[in-house]
Amino acid sequence: MDMLTLVKDVPNAKFMEQKKFIKFGLTAAALRSYVPLMQDEFHSFIKSNLQFKGTSGIVQLPPIMAEITLFTTARTLQGKEVRQQLNTTYAKLYHDLDDAFQPINFMLPWLPLPRNRRRDTGQRKMTQLYTDIIRARRLAGSTSKDSEDMIWNLMQSTYKDGTPLPDTEIAHLMIGLLMAGQHSTSAASAWIMLHLAAQPTTLEELYQEQLRVLQGAEELTYDHLQHMPLARYVIQETLRLHPSIHSIMRKVKSPLPVPGTEWVIPPSHVLLAAPATMGKSNLHFPRAEVWDPHRWEHIADDEDDAETEQTDYGYGLVSTGAGSTYLPFGAGRHRCIGEQFAYLQLTVVVVMMVRCFKLGNVRREGVVGTDYSSMFARPMEPAYVRWEKRADVA
């Protein structure tokens, strides 16, 4: 079973309902509750990881950011039971699914390759893992609820016809939710830290921003994050230059006229678009090849205005994106429903990394190139950076 089947191999109306379940589970209260959990996971990871022993060193950055992303996602969206198994059974199953996330499997998912056999076995076992968690929670009752994770939300969700969401569908949605966000967020966080290592002055600006906002507070809160504009600009600028999905494919279902021409695209054809090219156009972003977070001080309002056109596709109002040249989370019917969570997670990770470390390049200028060999654009490896713990951390 390929990753698309886990979530999207259902009639469109049902898929829109499923997206609504997930979107409505990402409430403001849930997002607020995730900040301390992410912060705890970050501290635990840094303290336990041998690559950060001592006061300074060199580290291969992308795998580190992938692990931090996985741990913070597991503890918040996935729940404490999943997080507790992350270092054992769950991690192996996740790796087997992740290993099959290859371009060829979007065309020929049935190929009898060894990685595909492991993928199918891993999918069945992970489904069983989630259904066991769900059954245990149902037996324990709502009194055992101690978090706002997505499993609890989906357990209480009901289709329009009154049918409760079956446990196996909850399991498949949870797997799809993990896989959908893990690659894009880990790649984005790696790009951010690589750019900050190449431009230490911006890293120090971020550090000073959080010192002003926190005013000596030890614990980071959701409200603190709302007063850190530079952190958001850094994320926006990185997603402009390095959107994780480089190509978007759509299958034509009915004859599609091309405006201004006599062309009509027949059904069964597949269209491919690369909207990320707009983010690298000097027409829309002067000196587009330069990573400059401060550009967003002047264009943020324009982008907000472009997001005002909204449509309800069946899972709540979302921006159509029709007037925007910045589309890192897509637009319209298929706009990413985890956008708010992604921004929150990236902001917490960036703030915590900047609070704990000074970073610098190792034997290179700028950042590494882009690896386009998989479905997600990510930094070429190896991508080493030099780290130094700040005085109050060391």
Side-chain angles (χ1 to χ4, degrees), residues 3 5 45 55 68 82 92 120 122 124 136 174 176 178 224 235 257 260 275 280 286 314 316 375 380 383:
M3 287 299 106
T5 304
F45 177 82
T55 58
I68 292 175
V82 172
K92 171 64 167 60
D120 294 342
R124 289 190 292 270
M174 293 304 298
L178 175 69
H224 286 143
I235 294 169
K280 299 181 181 181
M375 293 303 298
M380 292 283 288

Tab-separated table of all heavy atoms in Angstrom, residues 3 5 45 55 68 82 92 120 122 124 136 174 176 178 224 235 257 260 275 280 286 314 316 375 380 383:
chain	number	residue	atom	x	y	z
A	3	MET	N	1.745	5.469	0.042
A	3	MET	CA	1.382	6.513	0.998
A	3	MET	C	0.101	7.238	0.599
A	3	MET	O	-0.676	7.648	1.450
A	3	MET	CB	2.519	7.526	1.130
A	3	MET	CG	3.717	6.989	1.894
A	3	MET	SD	3.299	6.518	3.587
A	3	MET	CE	3.305	4.748	3.429
A	5	THR	N	-2.476	5.945	-0.827
A	5	THR	CA	-3.593	5.091	-0.495
A	5	THR	C	-3.959	5.214	0.976
A	5	THR	O	-5.119	5.093	1.350
A	5	THR	CB	-3.255	3.612	-0.821
A	5	THR	OG1	-2.896	3.532	-2.188
A	5	THR	CG2	-4.442	2.713	-0.561
A	45	PHE	N	16.313	15.458	23.783
A	45	PHE	CA	17.130	15.002	22.654
A	45	PHE	C	18.551	15.541	22.754
A	45	PHE	O	19.527	14.787	22.588
A	45	PHE	CB	16.489	15.446	21.339
A	45	PHE	CG	17.302	15.086	20.126
A	45	PHE	CD1	17.222	13.819	19.582
A	45	PHE	CD2	18.146	16.009	19.530
A	45	PHE	CE1	17.983	13.479	18.474
A	45	PHE	CE2	18.904	15.689	18.427
A	45	PHE	CZ	18.825	14.415	17.889
A	55	THR	N	31.218	21.081	24.825
A	55	THR	CA	30.799	22.466	24.606
A	55	THR	C	30.807	22.877	23.138
A	55	THR	O	30.261	23.924	22.793
A	55	THR	CB	31.718	23.424	25.383
A	55	THR	OG1	33.074	23.226	24.947
A	55	THR	CG2	31.613	23.165	26.888
A	68	ILE	N	14.737	15.343	15.519
A	68	ILE	CA	14.019	16.309	16.353
A	68	ILE	C	12.591	16.476	15.863
A	68	ILE	O	11.635	16.515	16.656
A	68	ILE	CB	14.753	17.667	16.365
A	68	ILE	CG1	16.087	17.545	17.104
A	68	ILE	CG2	13.888	18.744	17.012
A	68	ILE	CD1	16.944	18.798	17.059
A	82	VAL	N	2.726	6.416	21.301
A	82	VAL	CA	3.567	6.333	20.107
A	82	VAL	C	4.976	6.821	20.429
A	82	VAL	O	5.964	6.198	20.051
A	82	VAL	CB	2.956	7.154	18.954
A	82	VAL	CG1	3.928	7.236	17.783
A	82	VAL	CG2	1.640	6.539	18.505
A	92	LYS	N	11.373	1.276	13.720
A	92	LYS	CA	11.664	0.325	12.635
A	92	LYS	C	10.548	0.346	11.591
A	92	LYS	O	10.809	0.376	10.373
A	92	LYS	CB	11.811	-1.085	13.216
A	92	LYS	CG	11.906	-2.210	12.184
A	92	LYS	CD	13.146	-2.095	11.324
A	92	LYS	CE	13.413	-3.353	10.517
A	92	LYS	NZ	12.310	-3.718	9.591
A	120	ASP	N	4.784	-2.828	2.860
A	120	ASP	CA	3.457	-3.396	3.079
A	120	ASP	C	3.360	-4.074	4.447
A	120	ASP	O	2.354	-3.953	5.146
A	120	ASP	CB	3.132	-4.393	1.973
A	120	ASP	CG	3.004	-3.716	0.605
A	120	ASP	OD1	2.838	-2.486	0.587
A	120	ASP	OD2	3.085	-4.416	-0.421
A	122	GLY	N	5.245	-3.330	7.037
A	122	GLY	CA	5.307	-2.254	8.018
A	122	GLY	C	3.978	-1.544	8.165
A	122	GLY	O	3.567	-1.186	9.284
A	124	ARG	N	0.963	-2.803	7.696
A	124	ARG	CA	0.025	-3.655	8.441
A	124	ARG	C	0.346	-3.656	9.939
A	124	ARG	O	-0.549	-3.566	10.783
A	124	ARG	CB	0.048	-5.079	7.879
A	124	ARG	CG	-0.602	-5.208	6.508
A	124	ARG	CD	-0.769	-6.670	6.127
A	124	ARG	NE	0.519	-7.322	5.892
A	124	ARG	CZ	1.122	-7.374	4.712
A	124	ARG	NH1	0.573	-6.800	3.658
A	124	ARG	NH2	2.281	-8.004	4.584
A	136	ALA	N	-7.167	0.336	23.669
A	136	ALA	CA	-6.777	0.532	25.060
A	136	ALA	C	-7.356	1.836	25.613
A	136	ALA	O	-7.817	1.897	26.760
A	136	ALA	CB	-5.263	0.518	25.192
A	174	MET	N	-3.541	8.505	10.822
A	174	MET	CA	-2.403	8.843	11.682
A	174	MET	C	-1.082	8.547	10.982
A	174	MET	O	-0.118	9.313	11.097
A	174	MET	CB	-2.487	8.085	13.005
A	174	MET	CG	-3.641	8.491	13.915
A	174	MET	SD	-3.668	10.255	14.308
A	174	MET	CE	-2.106	10.440	15.153
A	176	GLY	N	-0.651	8.493	7.672
A	176	GLY	CA	-0.533	9.497	6.627
A	176	GLY	C	-0.146	10.853	7.163
A	176	GLY	O	0.652	11.576	6.559
A	178	LEU	N	1.636	11.480	9.839
A	178	LEU	CA	3.058	11.451	10.192
A	178	LEU	C	3.933	11.577	8.956
A	178	LEU	O	4.852	12.403	8.902
A	178	LEU	CB	3.387	10.154	10.925
A	178	LEU	CG	4.869	9.954	11.253
A	178	LEU	CD1	5.324	10.949	12.312
A	178	LEU	CD2	5.148	8.530	11.704
A	224	HIS	N	4.552	33.756	23.588
A	224	HIS	CA	5.878	34.280	23.268
A	224	HIS	C	6.128	34.238	21.760
A	224	HIS	O	6.664	35.179	21.165
A	224	HIS	CB	6.962	33.456	23.969
A	224	HIS	CG	7.057	33.700	25.443
A	224	HIS	ND1	7.339	32.692	26.335
A	224	HIS	CD2	6.896	34.824	26.184
A	224	HIS	CE1	7.372	33.201	27.558
A	224	HIS	NE2	7.102	34.488	27.484
A	235	ILE	N	11.464	31.594	8.634
A	235	ILE	CA	10.765	30.414	8.129
A	235	ILE	C	10.167	30.700	6.750
A	235	ILE	O	10.310	29.900	5.820
A	235	ILE	CB	9.669	29.981	9.119
A	235	ILE	CG1	10.299	29.502	10.425
A	235	ILE	CG2	8.799	28.869	8.512
A	235	ILE	CD1	9.299	29.311	11.554
A	257	PRO	N	-10.324	22.698	-20.920
A	257	PRO	CA	-9.876	23.718	-21.877
A	257	PRO	C	-8.773	24.587	-21.262
A	257	PRO	O	-8.816	24.905	-20.077
A	257	PRO	CB	-11.137	24.552	-22.133
A	257	PRO	CG	-12.276	23.708	-21.644
A	257	PRO	CD	-11.719	22.882	-20.523
A	260	GLY	N	-7.491	30.904	-23.373
A	260	GLY	CA	-6.727	31.671	-24.350
A	260	GLY	C	-6.156	30.853	-25.490
A	260	GLY	O	-5.417	31.379	-26.331
A	275	PRO	N	4.886	25.260	-8.795
A	275	PRO	CA	4.582	26.619	-8.325
A	275	PRO	C	5.720	27.267	-7.560
A	275	PRO	O	5.760	28.490	-7.422
A	275	PRO	CB	3.360	26.407	-7.415
A	275	PRO	CG	3.417	24.974	-7.014
A	275	PRO	CD	3.999	24.255	-8.181
A	280	LYS	N	11.231	31.891	-6.784
A	280	LYS	CA	12.606	32.128	-7.208
A	280	LYS	C	12.684	33.084	-8.396
A	280	LYS	O	13.705	33.153	-9.078
A	280	LYS	CB	13.268	30.793	-7.550
A	280	LYS	CG	13.322	29.840	-6.357
A	280	LYS	CD	13.991	28.525	-6.690
A	280	LYS	CE	14.006	27.601	-5.480
A	280	LYS	NZ	14.665	26.316	-5.743
A	286	PRO	N	12.591	40.519	-5.684
A	286	PRO	CA	13.883	41.073	-6.125
A	286	PRO	C	15.052	40.365	-5.460
A	286	PRO	O	14.996	40.028	-4.277
A	286	PRO	CB	13.789	42.538	-5.683
A	286	PRO	CG	12.322	42.829	-5.661
A	286	PRO	CD	11.669	41.552	-5.199
A	314	GLY	N	-15.256	21.866	1.805
A	314	GLY	CA	-15.855	20.775	2.569
A	314	GLY	C	-15.180	20.530	3.893
A	314	GLY	O	-15.607	19.677	4.660
A	316	GLY	N	-13.985	23.453	5.880
A	316	GLY	CA	-13.768	24.773	6.452
A	316	GLY	C	-13.137	25.714	5.447
A	316	GLY	O	-12.578	25.291	4.423
A	375	MET	N	10.853	12.432	-3.667
A	375	MET	CA	9.656	13.239	-3.872
A	375	MET	C	9.739	14.578	-3.147
A	375	MET	O	8.943	15.482	-3.405
A	375	MET	CB	8.419	12.473	-3.387
A	375	MET	CG	8.100	11.232	-4.209
A	375	MET	SD	7.850	11.583	-5.970
A	375	MET	CE	6.436	12.660	-5.932
A	380	MET	N	21.495	18.523	0.131
A	380	MET	CA	22.462	17.487	-0.239
A	380	MET	C	23.280	17.125	0.995
A	380	MET	O	23.599	17.985	1.818
A	380	MET	CB	23.399	18.004	-1.332
A	380	MET	CG	22.718	18.239	-2.675
A	380	MET	SD	22.395	16.721	-3.593
A	380	MET	CE	24.044	16.276	-4.101
A	383	ALA	N	26.100	17.509	5.053
A	383	ALA	CA	25.904	18.937	5.310
A	383	ALA	C	26.298	19.195	6.766
A	383	ALA	O	25.455	19.211	7.655
A	383	ALA	CB	24.456	19.335	5.048
